[in-house]
Amino acid sequence: MYGVAIIGTGSIGKTHVKAFINDSRAEIRALCSRTTAKCHEIIKEMLPERKSEITVTDDWHALLDRKDIDIVSIALPPQMHKDVTIAFLQHGKHVLLEKPMALSLAEEDEMMKAEKESGKKLGIIFQNRYYTAIQRAKKMLEDGYFGSILSVDVTSHWFRGSNYHNLYWRGTWGSEGGGTLTSQGVHQVDMLLWFMKGLPSSITAIMDNRKHTNSEAEDEGMAIMRFPDKAIASFSVSLSDMDEAQGFRFQCEKAAFTIPEWSLSVKKPQPNGYPEVDKEEEERLMNVFCSIPALTKEGHDAAVSYFIDAVENNTKPDASSEDGRNATAFIDAFYLSAATEQTVSLPLTEKAPVYTTEGLVSAMPKFFRKTISTESQSGTMTLGSASK
């Protein structure tokens, strides 16, 4: 049984709690929040039978030396990720960290150094990987059913009201590390890099803030890119889409497919070169798709269980710190290209203007000035189209 501490008990922290409860190998032994009332609410709702056993604290330092805690799940604002992660790694804890990994590549390099020196696991929550249709498509692609990837179109469109950034830690480059690409689009960034097996070789981007006036950072952006294997891709991100359209369309040598809403298309040329549907091949590929076993857990539940697997088997986490860093490298290259109106080559080096948090803050435009800051917000949280 692995003892677990959850650091941060806002909406996403509560989701972490549910996921650990759903894995019989884990037992939640501590909850930490600057507002301890939230911890008590979670215990009352989800773990009432263990009320007297779970530690509640507003100081994460108090948990560093706890011998009965093996895994720490961090659901704090991004500007706190580096210090809290490094401290727990150095005290012999495995760490599962909510996205984004940190504010900058420099911070993430420090975290990965602590991970290596500690011998413990550092994993990132990228829950959108863990849905049946997505996993099936990934396996079929890797098994060669679709041939090589020619192009990918990525849509990462979300909706948040203009008051979304009123929460105290949202809406500045220095506290959040970016805008909608960092906070929401990071899910599609991770999935793109996961499918493409690495970073693009170059990226050209534009961005703006059209509606979210309490945020310094972008609420719209678009990019085109080329990958080392010559595949090309487009990426569109928005925080103002009332349809919340999120998805991928892959054009491959042998077929086209979309995820997370699965669709498949296979065409063959007529004698004049115009297309006709290859019904036989479509049926064959659909049969392969349906034959791949469905996931027994999806979303956050799967992300947590995969991380526990890595701890239990002493293997690399499925969504690793390297994956978290790659996502940040993509995002920072996107921002740098948009800010400078130039194509940016990857990988970024330590000389890149956006390598440090200070460099990122200095290099980025401030679309609006944050003037409203609240401690908490009411309402429910949504997780995007993959979770529907």
Side-chain angles (χ1 to χ4, degrees):
M1 183 72 71
Y2 295 102
V4 178
I6 310 291
I7 314 298
T9 55
S11 296
I12 198 63
K14 189 174 181 179
T15 302
H16 287 211
V17 172
K18 291 179 181 178
F20 277 102
I21 289 174
N22 288 335
D23 194 303
S24 62
R25 298 169 293 177
E27 182 179 77
I28 295 174
R29 293 176 179 164
L31 296 177
C32 176
S33 174
R34 57 187 283 167
T35 308
T36 56
K38 291 182 179 180
C39 302
H40 291 294
E41 289 173 6
I42 288 174
I43 293 171
K44 181 179 180 180
E45 177 186 346
M46 303 168 68
L47 293 161
E49 73 284 357
R50 298 193 55 242
K51 178 180 178 180
S52 62
E53 302 171 22
I54 298 174
T55 299
V56 171
T57 180
D58 62 0
D59 183 6
W60 56 267
H61 296 87
L63 304 175
L64 288 171
D65 293 318
R66 283 277 295 269
K67 302 301 182 185
D68 63 331
I69 294 174
D70 309 291
I71 297 172
V72 176
S73 188
I74 298 175
L76 294 169
Q79 75 265 32
M80 299 180 69
H81 285 187
K82 185 199 76 168
D83 290 344
V84 180
T85 295
I86 289 175
F88 277 108
L89 287 171
Q90 290 176 340
H91 281 76
K93 317 300 184 189
H94 303 286
V95 175
L96 183 58
L97 180 62
E98 186 58 44
K99 59 75 187 171
M101 183 171 165
L103 293 178
S104 67
L105 294 172
E107 290 190 357
E108 291 169 2
D109 286 343
E110 288 185 56
M111 295 159 73
M112 293 174 75
K113 182 175 182 287
E115 176 190 21
K116 183 177 180 180
E117 291 176 347
S118 70
K120 298 300 177 180
K121 311 294 181 187
L122 173 57
I124 314 299
I125 292 278
F126 284 132
Q127 78 276 4
N128 281 18
R129 294 182 179 192
Y130 305 117
Y131 291 93
T132 293
I134 292 165
Q135 290 281 328
R136 285 173 169 173
K138 180 75 155 55
K139 178 168 175 51
M140 288 182 70
L141 185 62
E142 291 179 342
D143 289 348
Y145 285 100
F146 304 133
S148 62
I149 298 171
L150 304 178
S151 65
V152 191
D153 295 304
V154 186
T155 303
S156 183
H157 289 187
W158 307 72
F159 179 84
R160 299 290 185 271
S162 59
N163 57 342
Y164 169 77
H165 294 98
N166 292 357
L167 193 61
Y168 73 97
W169 57 268
R170 293 181 182 144
T172 72
W173 294 101
S175 63
E176 205 169 3
T180 186
L181 184 59
T182 295
S183 295
Q184 289 81 30
V186 64
H187 291 296
Q188 281 70 45
V189 169
D190 169 67
M191 287 176 61
L192 175 64
L193 303 185
W194 180 55
F195 269 90
M196 303 303 288
K197 298 184 177 180
L199 289 161
S201 53
S202 66
I203 186 167
T204 306
I206 57 174
M207 65 180 178
D208 203 346
N209 184 327
R210 302 295 305 280
K211 290 185 63 177
H212 295 79
T213 56
N214 199 38
S215 171
E216 295 178 349
E218 92 292 345
D219 68 1
E220 304 276 349
M222 293 184 180
I224 54 174
M225 66 212 72
R226 184 181 293 277
F227 284 83
D229 64 357
K230 304 303 181 184
I232 58 176
S234 67
F235 197 109
S236 173
V237 64
S238 172
L239 204 61
S240 305
D241 186 343
M242 294 186 186
D243 290 325
E244 291 208 298
Q246 299 145 31
F248 295 73
R249 182 163 184 81
F250 285 81
Q251 298 287 349
C252 303
E253 285 183 307
K254 301 176 183 179
F257 65 90
T258 66
I259 52 172
E261 185 174 342
W262 170 253
S263 69
L264 175 72
S265 178
V266 183
K267 299 290 195 300
K268 58 184 178 181
Q270 301 177 64
N272 63 1
Y274 284 82
E276 64 177 348
V277 176
D278 190 336
K279 294 182 180 179
E280 183 178 341
E281 183 62 8
E282 278 191 0
E283 183 177 356
R284 186 182 78 89
L285 292 178
M286 282 298 296
N287 287 337
V288 173
F289 177 85
C290 294
S291 72
I292 299 171
L295 297 181
T296 57
K297 289 184 176 182
E298 294 189 324
H300 279 84
D301 285 358
V304 163
S305 289
Y306 275 115
F307 184 72
I308 295 175
D309 288 344
V311 171
E312 192 168 61
N313 300 320
N314 193 27
T315 56
K316 184 178 180 180
D318 184 74
S320 66
S321 56
E322 181 181 354
D323 295 323
R325 190 187 191 281
N326 278 345
T328 300
F330 178 100
I331 290 167
D332 285 352
F334 186 114
Y335 286 152
L336 183 60
S337 174
T340 61
E341 299 184 348
Q342 295 180 353
T343 297
V344 170
S345 296
L346 288 105
L348 298 176
T349 70
E350 293 183 9
K351 295 181 180 180
V354 292
Y355 176 73
T356 64
T357 303
E358 295 77 15
L360 176 72
V361 172
S362 176
M364 290 301 106
K366 313 301 188 290
F367 292 105
F368 294 97
R369 185 168 64 89
K370 183 176 174 71
T371 58
I372 303 171
S373 182
T374 60
E375 285 293 309
S376 63
Q377 292 176 314
S378 60
T380 59
M381 179 185 66
T382 57
L383 294 174
S385 62
S387 64
K388 294 177 182 177

